[in-house]
Amino acid sequence: MSKLMPASAIGTPFERLDGELKVRGTAPYAYEQPVENPVHLYPVLSTVARGRVERVETAEAEAIDGVLTILTAETAPRLADSSDRELAVLQDASVGYRGQIVAAVLAETPETAREAAAAVQVTYTEEPFTAQLRADDPALYAPEELNAGIPTDSSQGDFDGAFDTAALRINATYSTPPEHNNPLEPHVTVAQWNGTVLTLWDSTQGVHAVRDTVAQVLGLEEEQVRVIAPHVGGGFGSKGMPHVQVVMAALAAQVTDGRPVKFPVSRQQMYTLTSHRTPTIQHVRLGAADDGRLSAMSLDILEHTSRIKEFAEQTPAPFRMMYASPNRRTTTRLAPLDIPVPSWMRAPGECPGMFGPEVAMDELAAAAGLDPIELRRRNEPEVDPETGNPFSSRHLLECFDLGAERFGWQNRVARPRSVQEDGWLVGMGTASAVYPFMRQPANTARIRYEQDGVYSVQIGAADIGTGSWTALTQIAADALRVPVNRIRLGIGDTRFPKASVAGGSSGTASWGGTIIAAARAFREDHGEHPSPGAQTEAQPPEDPEAADLALYSFGAHFAEVRIHADTGEIRVPRMLGVFSAGRIINPRTARSQFLGAMTMGLGMALHEQGVLDPRFGIFVNSDLAEYHIPTNADVLDMEALWIEDHDEHAGPLGARGIGEIGIVGSAAAIANAAYNASGTRIRDLPLTADKFL
Ligand code: MOS
């Protein structure tokens, strides 16, 4: 390497470039974007789960000083496309779930809007509804395909025959409850319509996704919609697809004579308006020889969806590719319920889909008298069992080996309920993690050399708190062979070239690969000494070989659990995750991603549970006082490590993404540790104290 080359920015643990702004509270989030003379929106939500709005009595609310107008299904502007019933707000009288928007107050202050919303009286005709996922629901159906275009069912070989004759059999049902994305920043949209252009300051994981949807639903040209989101306070998938508040704010902006409309969704409203993770019932059957080698695997999944809009999570996806077995099948069936619309939540599919199977593997290890890591070693596939394609990189066992060493796995006592300290039952557990690499090809980046010697690098990407602002700057600096302080990154605006959503852990790899391609094209166009104003836009090249490879990240989770023998109180003093996720761009922000996801896994294991009351069709614990997530007192010694892994088929960057794999399998590791500690096998999340008594 030439002495003139700057040291590589990739691999350096830079602090977040936007960190100081955020810590000082000066980073403008959607709600804080400076707009003049805003109007404030507060929604009125349905109090029945299914039926029709018969009458909306607004006179009392309209009489309140400062109320501008009240939109109802009768008075709201019409949408051009009402086919998406989640987004078709105030377009007809039907009610599809309790907590749906049935009117919206526009007022001079947020307080006035809220007060007036409480004074709106709505009368309904109620219809019978169903709000309970039941295995015997006659309405259960097979969706045409699962999220991300994954086939609904799969079958290879003869599962039934192989299972019937297997020496060892695990046959158990597991469940995960509804879970709620709880980003720190609730969803919010500020909308302004000037008669030609609709500007949306939105808290979103993808400005272009919002633009495209809003243009379609409102019947506008894409150029007429601008979406701006420089800073986003988390999303966990719930800001990946636009939800109803975006359309509501956009509609309202059409009746305010150009005044911007602010619609901040409250924490409680998020539980119905901005999606949740579907609950799952997972029937797992594993058949194996005495030595633990799998001969038969099946997974039958039941989930709920909303009757007004289908969301079919890809829950069986990891089960199809994780372990070798000649005979295997999966099915997924959905119950259409009169409930809020479920959607993505961190590692949709993979996260719940690795819970039952990874606990079942622990049960099989016990039945075979094998160490759980050894069981996985014996079931490593040569190639992807689902497609027959070779893996681009599969370092699952290296993750287990390193993790076992660091965690002190050799100190685990295999026989459950063997270790007791001061009244606490102590145990260790492990589970695998996996996440697919989902590179998004349709990205474009723009690079311009500026007068001040800085490169402007622009792409409509998002930083949802992950550190992508920093990571992309590092990637751009290396690609343009300059220090990071000569990069001016522009993201979070549809004025920048079109980019994919920050979802599927694909962001940094996809956008970063695009920036590398654009930097190469820029040098070809303008040489090493460009003139100010020199500009290039480019897309990344396709990798023809990648289509014939299975691209996945892998990991191994380890957990220590302590359960109080008298009270059932459960604590997780130690967690370790070891990952192989391709190249790591920024070790500091990467570690945060892993730890954040493992913390969410801890929440999934111990705390999180949306309680859907079937009598009313509502999530009754719709705030952070009653929907529990881990706090500092719950997160004790938690560490994330990774092994070096530059995946040459994962785009020009060699990175496969880190946002989601940390949650996958983590709850199973904790449940397995809880079994080792207590001898009680809990198959239904969360692992609350009562279940150990
Ligand atoms: Mo993530 S749930 O793919 O935004």
Side-chain angles (χ1 to χ4, degrees):
M1 193 187 282
S2 147
K3 275 189 193 154
L4 297 174
M5 283 283 286
S8 169
I10 293 178
T12 305
F14 281 102
E15 293 181 2
R16 287 161 195 266
L17 299 174
D18 48 339
E20 186 174 332
L21 286 180
K22 287 181 174 174
V23 171
R24 287 176 177 273
T26 53
Y29 289 79
Y31 191 81
E32 290 108 22
Q33 293 283 348
V35 292
E36 277 192 29
N37 200 18
V39 172
H40 301 270
L41 185 150
Y42 200 92
V44 178
L45 304 185
S46 64
T47 55
V48 302
R50 191 179 188 190
R52 294 181 59 77
V53 173
E54 289 304 333
R55 229 168 85 80
V56 182
E57 181 52 66
T58 58
E60 186 189 327
E62 276 166 336
I64 294 172
D65 196 28
V67 171
L68 298 168
T69 188
I70 297 173
L71 296 176
T72 67
E74 288 182 358
T75 61
R78 297 298 94 185
L79 295 171
D81 180 350
S82 298
S83 58
D84 184 328
R85 292 190 57 211
E86 180 190 3
L87 301 180
V89 59
L90 301 182
Q91 298 301 293
D92 63 44
S94 69
V95 175
Y97 60 89
R98 184 166 164 157
Q100 178 183 321
I101 297 176
V102 292
V105 177
L106 299 177
E108 294 291 349
T109 71
E111 294 81 5
T112 304
R114 184 170 187 163
E115 182 194 351
V120 173
Q121 290 137 27
V122 185
T123 47
Y124 304 88
T125 308
E126 289 189 58
E127 291 168 18
F129 66 91
T130 316
Q132 189 166 28
L133 173 59
R134 290 167 33 159
D136 61 353
D137 188 337
L140 282 163
Y141 73 98
E144 243 168 63
E145 61 176 24
L146 307 182
N147 183 46
I150 288 168
T152 306
D153 294 347
S154 66
S155 178
Q156 287 165 268
D158 170 20
F159 168 78
D160 291 323
F163 184 72
D164 286 347
T165 56
L168 300 174
R169 280 197 289 265
I170 301 299
N171 184 350
T173 299
Y174 306 82
S175 71
T176 61
E179 291 159 358
H180 296 270
N181 323 56
N182 266 298
L184 197 56
E185 180 202 20
H187 298 62
V188 54
T189 305
V190 181
Q192 185 161 28
W193 170 244
N194 72 3
T196 319
V197 171
L198 175 67
T199 305
L200 300 170
W201 291 269
D202 189 35
S203 184
T204 176
Q205 294 173 226
V207 287
H208 286 96
V210 171
R211 181 195 69 178
D212 293 358
T213 300
V214 167
Q216 167 74 22
V217 168
L218 270 77
L220 298 172
E221 299 297 324
E222 284 177 2
E223 303 77 55
Q224 288 180 278
V225 183
R226 181 176 177 198
V227 183
I228 303 169
H231 301 288
V232 179
F236 306 120
S238 67
K239 296 173 184 170
M241 290 187 260
H243 295 299
V244 66
Q245 100 279 350
V246 183
V247 178
M248 183 70 253
L251 266 192
Q254 294 182 3
V255 302
T256 55
D257 294 324
R259 290 177 69 182
V261 173
K262 288 188 161 190
F263 180 12
V265 180
S266 74
R267 180 69 56 185
Q268 288 169 332
Q269 291 161 359
M270 284 169 62
Y271 282 71
T272 63
L273 297 180
T274 63
S275 83
H276 63 277
R277 192 200 294 280
T278 181
T280 69
I281 299 171
Q282 313 177 10
H283 180 203
V284 182
R285 284 176 291 171
L286 302 178
D290 284 319
D291 66 359
R293 289 201 162 77
L294 288 161
S295 56
M297 307 173 67
S298 85
L299 174 59
D300 298 296
I301 297 162
L302 305 178
E303 295 174 346
H304 77 207
T305 186
S306 166
R307 199 188 303 280
I308 65 167
K309 182 177 176 179
E310 178 183 286
F311 176 73
E313 184 131 315
Q314 68 273 39
T315 312
F319 190 80
R320 293 176 184 169
M321 51 61 64
M322 200 59 209
Y323 301 114
S325 168
N327 306 293
R328 46 204 307 136
R329 42 164 281 187
T330 67
T331 64
T332 300
R333 300 293 177 267
L334 302 182
L337 304 182
D338 304 294
I339 55 163
V341 183
S343 183
W344 298 337
M345 179 163 158
R346 205 169 196 169
E350 280 77 17
C351 174
M354 284 288 272
F355 175 69
E358 286 298 304
V359 176
M361 284 295 277
D362 204 66
E363 300 198 46
L364 179 61
L370 286 174
D371 181 276
I373 298 175
E374 177 59 24
L375 177 70
R376 287 168 175 85
R377 195 180 308 283
R378 292 186 185 184
N379 288 292
E380 265 292 275
E382 301 262 310
V383 294
D384 176 359
E386 185 181 15
T387 60
N389 289 337
F391 288 99
S392 66
S393 155
R394 181 171 170 128
H395 298 296
L396 176 67
L397 297 178
E398 289 93 321
C399 293
F400 273 112
D401 290 342
L402 178 61
E405 183 200 319
R406 295 295 178 88
F407 200 69
W409 183 251
Q410 76 278 4
N411 297 326
R412 174 179 179 265
V413 180
R415 191 166 60 89
R417 211 180 170 99
S418 297
V419 182
Q420 197 155 351
E421 289 171 13
D422 300 331
W424 292 83
L425 307 168
V426 185
M428 289 188 207
T430 191
S432 301
V434 69
Y435 198 78
F437 174 55
M438 298 198 266
R439 185 177 170 211
Q440 308 297 325
N443 280 299
T444 306
R446 179 189 303 145
I447 296 178
R448 189 169 58 238
Y449 189 63
E450 306 285 4
Q451 292 285 352
D452 56 1
V454 162
Y455 289 91
S456 286
V457 177
Q458 299 176 338
I459 182 167
D463 188 329
I464 57 173
T466 52
S468 53
W469 198 309
T470 312
L472 294 181
T473 301
Q474 293 174 244
I475 293 163
D478 283 4
L480 289 160
R481 302 175 185 165
V482 296
V484 289
N485 63 10
R486 286 185 56 201
I487 302 295
R488 188 177 297 136
L489 186 73
I491 60 172
D493 194 327
T494 49
R495 289 210 170 151
F496 300 145
K498 189 163 183 173
S500 51
V501 166
S505 302
S506 67
T508 297
S510 305
W511 309 321
T514 306
I515 289 170
I516 290 173
R520 280 185 194 140
F522 182 92
R523 274 202 308 278
E524 276 166 29
D525 291 351
H526 307 292
E528 295 287 339
H529 303 286
S531 311
Q535 178 172 312
T536 292
E537 266 190 39
Q539 294 191 324
E542 304 256 330
D543 175 359
E545 283 172 47
D548 299 320
L549 291 169
L551 288 100
Y552 289 88
S553 291
F554 293 91
H557 288 285
F558 293 83
E560 181 182 316
V561 162
R562 300 169 85 86
I563 298 166
H564 199 276
D566 297 329
T567 65
E569 179 182 346
I570 175 167
R571 308 285 293 168
V572 181
R574 287 199 300 143
M575 285 176 80
L576 171 67
V578 182
F579 303 98
S580 160
R583 195 156 165 220
I584 298 300
I585 310 306
N586 181 323
R588 182 192 302 265
T589 55
R591 180 170 172 274
S592 289
Q593 281 295 291
F594 290 134
L595 294 182
M598 289 167 65
T599 303
M600 247 171 126
L602 177 65
M604 178 185 182
L606 303 190
H607 307 294
E608 297 192 44
Q609 179 173 26
V611 179
L612 191 49
D613 188 330
R615 297 169 301 171
F616 304 105
I618 191 120
F619 290 112
V620 293
N621 54 339
S622 59
D623 57 40
L624 291 173
E626 302 201 43
Y627 181 89
H628 294 170
I629 60 170
T631 65
N632 288 355
D634 300 299
V635 184
L636 300 167
D637 177 357
M638 184 183 286
E639 195 46 85
L641 306 171
W642 52 89
I643 57 180
E644 291 301 321
D645 173 20
H646 183 141
D647 188 338
E648 60 179 27
H649 295 291
L653 205 51
R656 283 193 305 265
I658 54 176
E660 285 158 287
I661 187 167
I663 193 174
V664 179
S666 50
I670 293 169
N672 294 341
Y675 170 74
N676 181 246
S678 66
T680 305
R681 182 65 76 178
I682 305 300
R683 301 188 178 91
D684 305 295
L685 289 179
L687 305 168
T688 45
D690 52 301
K691 293 177 181 166
F692 294 98
L693 298 177

